[in-house]
Amino acid sequence: MKKIKKSILFVTILRLLLGLLVFIFPFVSASLMFIVDWSDGEVFKRSGYTHKVYSLYDKVFDYYWYACILLFLVINQAPGLSFFVLFFVLRSVGHIIFFITQKSLVFFFFPCVFELLFYFYLLTLFFPELSIYLLFPKIFFPLLIILPIILTREYIIHIKKANLSWFFTGKTTYWPEEKICF
C-alpha cells in the first residue's frame, strides 16, 4: 500500500471541510469548492495517481458535496426545492451508473444541472427578486442558460477528456498508466 501524499490528504480534508462549511458560509464554501474540485485532479496526477483512482475519489467527493448542498437547501426551504431534488436524483442515477460501469461518459447523459442551479440559488440570496426564477414556469429561463453550459462542460471533461494541466503550467501533462493504489 502506497503512502498517501500530503497534497492528496490536504485536498481530501479540504473537500470534507468545505462541504460542511456550506451551512455557515455558503458563498465562500461554494466558491472554494468550485476551485478545489476544478484543480484537485492536477494534484492527483502530479502525485502519480491514475485517472481511474482519481475519478473514483472525485465522484465520491462530488456526491458528498451534492448531499451537503441538498441538505442546505432543505434546511433553508429554498424556492423550487422540488426542482433541486429532481436534478439531484438525476445526477445520483448518473453516479450509480458510473460506479457500476466505470464509464464517465454517463455524466453527459446525467449532467450536473443541480450544482449550477445551486449557484443560481446563491445569486438569489444577493438579489431576492430573482428567486421567482426558481419556481415553475420561470425556472425554465435559468435552465436555458444552465443546460448549454453544463452540457458543454460534461462534453469537454467526459467525452473529449480535456486536460487542465495547460491552465496551471502552460503545457499538457498526462495521467500515469501504472496503477497506484491508496
Side-chain angles (χ1 to χ4, degrees):
M1 188 136 126
K2 183 167 175 57
K3 183 180 173 189
I4 298 176
K5 296 187 177 189
K6 289 179 185 177
S7 57
I8 301 299
L9 188 59
F10 176 74
V11 294
T12 301
I13 291 170
L14 196 55
R15 284 187 81 165
L16 284 170
L17 293 177
L18 289 174
L20 297 176
L21 189 64
V22 76
F23 299 102
I24 304 166
F25 302 108
F27 307 105
V28 172
S29 175
S31 300
L32 292 176
M33 185 65 87
F34 179 83
I35 293 167
V36 172
D37 185 31
W38 191 59
S39 58
D40 63 353
E42 197 62 28
V43 173
F44 268 75
K45 186 187 332 172
R46 291 173 184 274
S47 296
Y49 289 89
T50 63
H51 189 261
K52 183 177 182 177
V53 168
Y54 168 70
S55 287
L56 291 172
Y57 158 91
D58 183 54
K59 294 309 166 219
V60 166
F61 280 98
D62 282 350
Y63 200 76
Y64 164 75
W65 170 235
Y66 304 153
C68 289
I69 291 172
L70 185 62
L71 186 57
F72 172 82
L73 293 167
V74 168
I75 289 169
N76 289 290
Q77 288 299 295
L81 185 58
S82 58
F83 288 103
F84 285 103
V85 171
L86 172 72
F87 289 119
F88 177 81
V89 169
L90 178 72
R91 188 60 169 202
S92 296
V93 170
H95 269 78
I96 291 166
I97 295 170
F98 169 77
F99 284 116
I100 292 169
T101 66
Q102 299 295 301
K103 305 284 185 201
S104 65
L105 171 68
V106 73
F107 293 118
F108 181 78
F109 300 103
F110 296 91
C112 193
V113 174
F114 175 78
E115 187 176 21
L116 274 177
L117 193 59
F118 171 67
Y119 295 144
F120 180 73
Y121 167 73
L122 291 178
L123 183 65
T124 70
L125 298 180
F126 283 113
F127 303 101
E129 63 276 7
L130 293 177
S131 65
I132 63 167
Y133 291 101
L134 290 170
L135 303 172
F136 184 82
K138 294 190 182 216
I139 193 167
F140 291 109
F141 293 115
L143 289 177
L144 284 172
I145 296 168
I146 290 171
L147 279 171
I149 293 168
I150 201 66
L151 287 174
T152 301
R153 186 186 95 162
E154 301 292 0
Y155 174 79
I156 290 169
I157 293 172
H158 298 296
I159 295 176
K160 292 298 277 181
K161 307 280 189 208
N163 189 320
L164 291 178
S165 58
W166 62 268
F167 179 82
F168 297 103
T169 65
K171 67 178 186 169
T172 301
T173 59
Y174 299 93
W175 289 94
E177 303 235 355
E178 70 277 357
K179 185 169 180 150
I180 298 176
C181 298
F182 285 110

